[in-house]
Amino acid sequence: MNLTLHVWRQKGPNAPGKLETYDAHNVSPDQSFLEMLDEVNEGLIKKGVEPIAFDHDCREGICGMCSQVINGVPHGGQDRTTVCQLHMRSFKDGDNIFIEPWRATAFPIVKDLVVDRGNLDVIIQAGGYTSCHTGGVADGNALLVPKPEADYAMDAAECIGCGACVAGCPNGSAMLFTSAKVAQLAVLPQGKAEAAERVNSMTEALKECGFGNCTNHYECQASCPKGINVKFIAKLNREYLKAIAS
């Protein structure tokens, strides 16, 4: 296939940016989107042009680093698919493809398609953990967890922190991300002791980092490559009301 790429180029956080056009020739339908970008970058380097900067790591749909908005949709819009799992067979010969970084106030652009998602770490550090005494390792069956609660927690724990929910939300909200982290611990015995402190701290960090509020567009769920359900936002709201009422 031969494709025309319109890629956002920006030298730095304070530099002006714009879409620049590149041709991608002889693209194999079996390539991943990132492999296609690798080949385009090889061609740019040979021409003496600075390659396109983009994040990537595992290339197995696990790490969430490959954050790109493709044709206006985070990760390209396929169901439960990250950019590294998006294959070029999804496109047709002659297609124009627009590639941009996450667009959110809380995710400042570092360079080209790379954004700083450190504010998600700030939310995690505010309370996305359980405190425990160190010492001897407890028996695995010492604290029993009913299967429905374990399944619920595992569904929330699928979140890989890629930020697609923020990029897809018209408000730039991180409510789905935060709610997954809160809900994961809220239903487990290990998380109940600090539940009130956790939800208060994490929601406060959410606001301080500049993320928007949730207004139920559901774009977060649609954009999530792991299919995190908006039911966790309802759980976050319930936990928050319980905390401020206690």
Side-chain angles (χ1 to χ4, degrees), residues 8-129:
W8 185 262
R9 303 302 306 267
Q10 185 169 335
K11 290 185 178 296
N14 300 316
K18 64 177 181 178
L19 288 169
E20 294 190 2
T21 302
Y22 304 101
D23 292 323
H25 296 294
N26 300 319
V27 176
S28 168
D30 297 323
Q31 285 183 311
S32 75
F33 200 87
L34 296 189
E35 288 171 335
M36 180 274 295
L37 285 180
D38 287 337
E39 288 197 352
V40 170
N41 273 344
E42 288 176 8
L44 293 177
I45 292 170
K46 288 178 181 177
K47 294 177 181 177
V49 178
E50 188 172 6
I52 302 162
F54 62 92
D55 268 330
H56 61 94
D57 192 2
C58 74
R59 300 201 178 201
E60 294 179 348
I62 298 170
C63 72
M65 289 293 289
C66 53
S67 48
Q68 298 173 28
V69 174
I70 300 168
N71 289 339
V73 185
H75 290 300
Q78 289 205 356
D79 187 43
R80 301 199 179 199
T81 302
T82 55
V83 177
C84 62
Q85 295 172 309
L86 179 67
H87 285 81
M88 300 313 297
R89 66 179 70 98
S90 303
F91 303 93
K92 301 188 297 294
D93 184 44
D95 275 357
N96 283 268
I97 303 176
F98 292 81
I99 311 170
E100 300 172 87
W102 285 169
R103 299 290 190 184
T105 301
F107 290 160
I109 294 176
V110 177
K111 184 178 181 180
D112 295 342
L113 305 177
V114 180
V115 300
D116 182 356
R117 293 174 295 169
N119 279 323
L120 296 183
D121 295 327
V122 173
I123 295 173
I124 289 292
Q125 291 164 2
Y129 56 85

